[in-house]
């Protein structure tokens, strides 16, 4: 099927969201709660665009809005920009400790007088960390509380039995809100301490025992195969490929 984005005719597949198509076509739409691993959540609304279908226009979240034949999309209109600016203002007020939010706040020309309410806070409650934890099969964190008090945490803010210390939550967090402290062979995350094991090849501490065991259990790959850091795994793979090279 075909649709028009910013005057350009684009091809789309059934099930595509507007954001998917725009990204394939190199058309930029800002996002915060979207990640290609999980698809759209429709929660931050920063990806808002204007859609015209059947002679009617409306503002929609492009990461969740499914394309249909002949719709026309505008990614930047005064109404769209106003909504995005308001979202940035609101999120900045919530999480003004985040470098990303500070940057967006400046880029969107928000008022210098509009100071953040939580100067240390960095979490915008996008839930990407919760989705990453679910994807790992651990579900050690979730959103707790409601309204402006909504935040991410472990059950009763205690060290969660389910947490394997993989730090997938921290890696995916767009605002750097999750603290991971690696010191020597100890990792501290979500109020829990873990021992880090060393890479079999370079000797650097790189993963927790719990993480290796968990991945081994889920994937059926032997522990010994997993005991290499990312860099050394890549080097091992290149070495193997060169070994098989016909040249
Ligand atoms: S901690 Fe980061 S990833 Fe998790 S909800 Fe907050 S901003 Fe999103
Ligand atoms: S990126 Fe679409 S709603 Fe957040």
């Amino acid at each position: 099927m075909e649709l028009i984005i910013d005057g350009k005719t684009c091809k789309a597949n059934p099930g595509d969201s507007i954001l998917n198509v725009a990204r394939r076509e190199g058309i930029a739409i800002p996002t915060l709660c979207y990640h290609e691993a999980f698809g759209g959540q429709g929660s931050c609304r920063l990806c808002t665009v204007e859609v015209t279908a059947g002679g009617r226009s409306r503002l929609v979240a492009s990461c969740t809005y499914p394309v249909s034949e002949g719709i026309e999309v505008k990614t930047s209109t005064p109404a769209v920009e106003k909504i995005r600016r308001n979202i940035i203002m609101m999120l900045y007020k919530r999480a003004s400790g985040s470098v990303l939010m500070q940057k967006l706040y400046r880029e969107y020309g928000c008022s210098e007088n509009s100071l953040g309410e939580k100067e240390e806070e960095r979490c915008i409650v996008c839930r990407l960390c919760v989705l990453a934890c679910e994807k790992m099969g651990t579900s050690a964190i979730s959103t707790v509380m409601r309204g402006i008090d909504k935040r991410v945490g472990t059950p009763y803010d205690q060290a969660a039995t389910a947490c394997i210390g993989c730090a997938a939550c921290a890696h995916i967090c767009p605002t750097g809100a999750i603290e991971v402290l690696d010191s020597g062979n100890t990792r501290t995350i979500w109020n829990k301490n873990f021992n880090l094991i060393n890479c079999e090849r370079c000797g650097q501490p790189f993963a927790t025992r719990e993480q290796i065991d968990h991945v081994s259990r889920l994937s059926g790959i032997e522990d010994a195969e997993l005991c290499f850091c990312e860099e050394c795994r890549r080097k091992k793979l290149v070495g193997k490929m060169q070994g098989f090279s016909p040249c």
Side-chain angles (χ1 to χ4, degrees):
M1 74 179 84
E2 285 185 348
L3 68 153
I4 297 170
I5 307 181
D6 292 344
K8 182 178 180 187
T9 302
C10 308
K11 295 227 177 296
N13 305 314
D16 270 341
S17 66
I18 291 173
L19 182 68
N20 289 152
V21 181
R23 292 212 161 164
R24 275 206 304 272
E25 296 287 339
I27 298 167
I29 297 176
T31 58
L32 276 173
C33 71
Y34 173 85
H35 192 283
E36 57 202 19
F38 313 118
Q41 298 188 71
S43 66
C44 75
R45 316 294 290 187
L46 191 65
C47 65
T48 293
V49 294
E50 194 173 298
V51 171
T52 305
R56 287 187 55 210
S57 296
R58 57 193 182 120
L59 298 170
V60 302
S62 64
C63 69
T64 51
Y65 195 87
V67 294
S68 54
E69 181 67 42
I71 59 169
E72 188 173 349
V73 179
K74 289 186 181 145
T75 64
S76 179
T77 65
V80 165
E81 293 305 326
K82 186 174 173 199
I83 268 204
R84 288 188 188 148
R85 194 168 173 277
N86 286 343
I87 290 165
I88 297 298
M89 295 264 279
M90 202 179 67
L91 291 177
Y92 174 79
K93 272 181 177 266
R94 182 197 157 87
S96 40
S98 151
V99 173
L100 175 64
M101 290 319 304
Q102 291 164 7
K103 180 171 165 278
L104 290 172
Y105 185 79
R106 282 193 303 273
E107 280 176 11
Y108 279 79
C110 300
S111 158
E112 290 300 324
N113 296 327
S114 177
L115 293 173
E117 283 164 8
K118 298 186 179 179
E119 289 185 16
E120 299 301 315
E121 182 61 69
R122 282 176 281 170
C123 177
I124 54 171
V125 203
C126 68
R127 288 192 76 253
L128 285 176
C129 54
V130 175
L131 295 178
C133 195
E134 277 172 20
K135 187 99 171 176
M136 283 301 293
T138 38
S139 295
I141 52 174
S142 61
T143 45
V144 293
M145 314 291 272
R146 286 169 182 229
I148 56 163
D149 294 322
K150 193 169 176 180
R151 62 186 171 83
V152 174
T154 51
Y156 305 104
D157 289 327
Q158 301 296 311
T161 320
C163 182
I164 55 171
C166 66
C169 52
H171 290 305
I172 206 165
C173 176
T175 61
I178 298 173
E179 302 276 353
V180 193
L181 182 63
D182 283 356
S183 172
N185 275 73
T186 305
R187 167 171 294 170
T188 307
I189 183 168
W190 294 113
N191 300 322
K192 191 169 175 182
N193 294 328
F194 295 88
N195 284 328
L196 290 171
I197 60 168
N198 298 326
C199 170
E200 292 281 330
R201 188 173 167 146
C202 69
Q204 291 298 313
F206 78 103
T208 68
R209 181 75 258 164
E210 291 83 346
Q211 178 182 353
I212 298 289
D213 289 346
H214 181 77
V215 174
S216 174
R217 234 183 353 263
L218 288 188
S219 64
I221 300 172
E222 293 282 317
D223 260 34
E225 278 296 305
L226 296 167
C227 290
F228 298 92
C229 70
E230 214 177 306
E231 179 64 20
C232 289
R233 257 205 306 275
R234 210 172 13 247
K235 283 182 186 161
K236 253 170 66 102
L237 189 67
V238 170
K240 267 190 192 169
M241 285 167 73
Q242 282 170 345
F244 287 127
S245 167
C247 310

